[in-house]
Amino acid sequence: MSKLEQILILDPPIDLRFKGPFTDVVTANLKLKNPSERKVCFKVKTTAPRRYCVRPNSGIIDPGAAVIISVMLQPFEYDPNEKSKHKFMVQTIFAPAAATDTEALWKDVKPDELMDSKLRCVFELPSENDKASPQKRNLLHWFRAAPGGFRTTGSEVKACRPAVVSEGQSREQNRDISRVGQRSAGSAEENMSHILLL
């Protein structure tokens, strides 16, 4: 029997693009849309499970509905000469109408019921304009502090504890940012480099 074609519509369909710098968590979003009239279970796997966190990593998509998957690349030292060989696979199966326990569904699935799509990871260096954007740095900070993260184990992506920033850390960082804003001496470049180092 021939393999089933992927029922979900993936956006982007082929590449997950991560834009540096890679000294902080970088997030790429993947939209999964279910155009069918049946519920669909999905599961996300990767060839580099220690390098990524995924939220959500599995679930059920109702007919006509969509879900946004956040794929978070963990900080690392980027080498422009090294090509990324990281890949992601989205596996799917049709779910019974009353399905709620996805783990049981995946345990009992037959190979000819599986559908999958593969995406490769692409790392891009930021343009000069992006490097000097403190707003982006602040957004990344808040992404890291958001509750409910996911950790990877084996090839599957698993749930993990949230990365929480304590009150003391937040106040300390706010004081540092305020001091940068109040500096009267020094050039704009010095101020910007101080912000980017926070």
Side-chain angles (χ1 to χ4, degrees), residues 141-149 161-167 169-170:
H141 164 74
W142 291 115
F143 268 121
R144 288 179 71 198
R161 294 179 172 230
V164 177
V165 176
S166 72
E167 274 299 311
Q169 286 175 315
S170 295

Side-chain angles (χ1 to χ4, degrees), residues 78-92:
Y78 177 70
D79 179 358
N81 297 319
E82 184 185 326
K83 267 193 162 182
S84 170
K85 295 177 182 172
H86 303 168
K87 292 186 176 84
F88 275 83
M89 179 166 63
V90 179
Q91 285 189 320
T92 55

Side-chain angles (χ1 to χ4, degrees), residues 3-191:
K3 189 171 178 168
L4 289 175
E5 189 176 329
Q6 176 64 272
I7 191 66
L8 296 183
I9 298 169
L10 279 65
D11 181 22
I14 299 166
D15 296 335
L16 277 176
R17 296 191 171 270
F18 297 89
K19 198 164 193 177
F22 302 103
T23 53
D24 214 332
V25 174
V26 180
T27 302
N29 288 326
L30 171 64
K31 182 179 180 182
L32 305 179
K33 183 173 168 65
N34 179 5
S36 76
E37 295 178 6
R38 298 174 64 183
K39 284 185 173 187
V40 174
C41 284
F42 73 90
K43 182 189 281 191
V44 180
K45 293 185 173 185
T46 181
T47 57
R50 293 182 182 186
R51 300 287 291 275
Y52 298 91
C53 289
V54 177
R55 180 186 305 160
N57 63 332
S58 64
I60 298 176
I61 307 175
D62 290 326
V67 66
I68 303 290
I69 309 290
S70 293
V71 180
M72 290 158 275
L73 173 63
Q74 301 306 297
F76 73 103
E77 197 168 316
Y78 177 70
D79 179 358
N81 297 319
E82 184 185 326
K83 267 193 162 182
S84 170
K85 295 177 182 172
H86 303 168
K87 292 186 176 84
F88 275 83
M89 179 166 63
V90 179
Q91 285 189 320
T92 55
I93 53 173
F94 284 111
T100 54
D101 184 3
T102 56
E103 282 188 39
L105 287 172
W106 286 108
K107 282 180 187 170
D108 300 332
V109 70
K110 297 180 178 114
D112 60 354
E113 296 173 334
L114 272 174
M115 299 168 273
D116 63 59
S117 296
K118 294 183 178 108
L119 297 106
R120 69 187 182 104
C121 297
V122 178
F123 300 151
E124 299 174 337
L125 284 174
S127 68
E128 288 302 312
N129 292 339
D130 290 342
K131 283 182 188 174
S133 171
Q135 291 84 5
K136 279 196 174 186
R137 299 286 297 174
N138 288 339
L139 281 174
L140 285 171
H141 164 74
W142 291 115
F143 268 121
R144 288 179 71 198
F150 287 87
R151 176 177 319 149
T152 56
T153 310
S155 67
E156 289 186 31
V157 186
K158 299 287 185 186
C160 72
R161 294 179 172 230
V164 177
V165 176
S166 72
E167 274 299 311
Q169 286 175 315
S170 295
R171 278 196 216 111
E172 184 67 34
Q173 288 167 343
N174 286 340
R175 276 199 300 272
D176 289 345
I177 291 169
S178 297
R179 277 198 298 258
V180 171
Q182 292 168 358
R183 275 167 125 188
S184 54
S187 67
E189 281 180 8
E190 287 173 330
N191 286 342

